[in-house]
Amino acid sequence: MEHDRFLDLLFARSRRANVTMVLIALNALVFVVSAGMSGNLMQISSPVLLTLGANHAPLVMQGEVWRLLAAMFLHGGLLHIGFNMFALYQAGQIVERLFGARAFLLLYLAAGLAGNVASMWWNPQAVSVGASGAVFGVYGALLAYVRAQPGSMPISVFNQIRSSTLAFIGYSLFAGFALPGIDNGAHVGGLVAGLALGYGLAQPLDSARSLHLGSPRALIALLLVAVASGWMWHRVPLGQPGARLVRAPSDGGFGRAVEQMTGEEGKLVARTDGLLDNLRRRKIDAAQAADDLRREVVPRWQVQVDAMSQLHLPDGLMEQRRQQLVRYAELRRDAMIALADAIQKNDKSRMEAANAFQQEADRLIDEMRAD
């Protein structure tokens, strides 16, 4: 196919890549809001991201499924959104025209959702944000198209697209494995979903119209992505405390208290992990990390102790569970106190105490699950 003929057919599908530009605008708008709430363009704080809908397995598994979608429009900082939106702008314009606007939006959202489910399965403790899974899905669909419909474009364009797409995917995955804080679970999940949907939705460019979304090929591709996502969903490890607490029996005020503790624990785990990560990267010093633990984390565990202690339940299994959860929250609080002391004083014995408190808390939860 000649180059001019290829461009004519491509732009005949759609003169403008409207969906791509709307997605970029939405991501930018959400970033402005999150940066304003955080007061920092370069690094959005974890509490702000969690408030706005960051993907975090303990919260999603207790029913906040909306986070799987919301997290696709959140980003951790200016460089994060800049890289993702540049990649989306580069690939989105051609992929939207190759597949059509509706199919492009479908594969973008489906790949993003699949990527976020894969992220939970890959690392259930992580607080994950970003359009990376969806963007990888776009590149996966582009790679699938050039493999499935090589005759729809000139050989020079075919080689250029294939090379640049493979280079982007390879570099991004390498960076994800080599550098901390990059969610390769979302990358791989989105990429695989994009490949499947790309093969399922690909249609020769000289066809009168893009493939109908209700066609057998499209439905099979969607089914494969849904089945794979469901498989990962049901295998998200329930070992993290937040997810385990959901399975405690609930009734009336006790049920609400358990749900509150579950949600709060997910946020506290994320905040603690963020502080320790900043300490490792030397973004904060030991004194600040210890102070933040004492000011932000320890008091919130005490709130959970008080809330669960104030419940009055009749004797029985729920009362036993309530007492166990009071003890669990006390152990988590004491572990954070010991951790703060260990960090500030570089005290090995206090670090051992923190680990001992945490291990006892884990054993207590395991006993509750076994009952």
Side-chain angles (χ1 to χ4, degrees):
M1 179 181 289
E2 296 180 358
H3 191 270
D4 290 343
R5 169 71 171 159
F6 168 71
L7 292 179
D8 289 341
L9 290 172
L10 186 65
F11 281 88
R13 285 280 183 92
S14 176
R15 298 303 302 175
R16 297 182 179 85
N18 292 326
V19 175
T20 298
M21 302 313 296
V22 168
L23 288 171
I24 291 173
L26 285 174
N27 277 276
L29 177 61
V30 173
F31 179 74
V32 169
V33 172
S34 63
M37 292 175 63
S38 182
N40 188 340
L41 277 173
M42 301 309 296
Q43 184 174 3
I44 311 302
S45 66
S46 292
V48 168
L49 293 175
L50 283 165
T51 298
L52 293 177
N55 184 23
H56 187 46
L59 300 179
V60 174
M61 298 304 287
Q62 77 167 33
E64 298 183 19
V65 183
W66 57 273
R67 291 179 177 275
L68 295 175
L69 178 63
M72 293 166 54
F73 296 92
L74 292 166
H75 289 84
L78 186 60
L79 294 178
H80 188 198
I81 188 174
F83 180 79
N84 277 346
M85 292 305 99
F86 177 75
L88 176 58
Y89 179 79
Q90 290 287 92
Q93 295 188 82
I94 185 171
V95 174
E96 182 176 345
R97 291 184 170 101
L98 288 173
F99 289 91
R102 288 188 302 166
F104 172 73
L105 181 60
L106 173 66
L107 71 86
Y108 180 90
L109 294 176
L113 292 171
N116 281 339
V117 173
S119 174
M120 292 198 306
W121 174 63
W122 191 288
N123 185 4
Q125 295 285 9
V127 176
S128 176
V129 295
S132 303
V135 171
F136 262 77
V138 171
Y139 276 87
L142 180 56
L143 183 60
Y145 190 93
V146 299
R147 296 290 297 174
Q149 302 292 338
S152 290
M153 57 187 67
I155 188 65
S156 59
V157 175
F158 170 83
N159 289 333
Q160 181 181 0
I161 290 177
R162 183 181 61 179
S163 298
S164 61
T165 301
L166 288 173
F168 169 82
I169 292 171
Y171 171 77
S172 299
L173 291 178
F174 172 78
F177 285 113
L179 301 174
I182 297 179
D183 188 4
N184 255 352
H187 292 173
V188 174
L191 174 63
V192 173
L195 284 167
L197 292 169
Y199 276 110
L201 295 170
Q203 186 84 333
L205 196 57
D206 56 5
S207 298
R209 56 187 301 178
S210 57
L211 188 68
H212 191 274
L213 297 183
S215 69
R217 268 200 299 132
L219 292 176
I220 290 172
L222 285 169
L223 180 62
L224 288 174
V225 172
V227 169
S229 298
W231 184 90
M232 290 184 291
W233 174 275
H234 287 290
R235 284 161 179 77
V236 172
L238 295 179
Q240 68 271 24
R244 290 181 294 190
L245 290 179
V246 175
R247 297 188 178 274
S250 60
D251 182 33
F254 180 62
R256 287 192 295 272
V258 170
E259 291 176 2
Q260 181 184 5
M261 182 182 287
T262 301
E264 182 70 355
E265 179 168 35
K267 297 174 184 177
L268 291 174
V269 168
R271 179 55 178 154
T272 303
D273 289 346
L275 287 172
L276 295 178
D277 185 56
N278 286 338
L279 180 61
R280 283 191 294 268
R281 297 186 184 193
R282 298 183 180 179
K283 293 182 178 180
I284 58 176
D285 58 21
Q288 183 179 345
D291 184 59
D292 287 348
L293 283 171
R294 293 190 182 105
R295 287 188 302 104
E296 299 181 29
V297 179
V298 172
R300 289 165 67 181
W301 273 117
Q302 183 60 49
V303 168
Q304 299 309 309
V305 172
D306 295 340
M308 197 62 71
S309 298
Q310 291 169 5
L311 292 177
H312 299 285
L313 301 173
D315 291 339
L317 181 59
M318 276 195 297
E319 172 60 16
Q320 178 185 343
R321 287 284 191 265
R322 184 195 67 79
Q323 294 175 11
Q324 290 172 317
L325 289 174
V326 169
R327 180 57 182 156
Y328 175 79
E330 290 174 340
L331 289 167
R332 295 302 303 273
R333 176 202 62 197
D334 294 345
M336 293 299 101
I337 293 172
L339 178 61
D341 293 343
I343 290 173
Q344 184 172 24
K345 302 173 184 177
N346 195 21
D347 188 333
K348 183 178 179 181
S349 64
R350 291 298 285 161
M351 183 61 74
E352 291 173 349
N355 290 334
F357 285 130
Q358 183 59 56
Q359 289 169 5
E360 186 177 349
D362 290 341
R363 283 195 297 270
L364 183 58
I365 287 294
D366 288 338
E367 291 173 5
M368 293 173 63
R369 293 181 66 201
D371 290 345

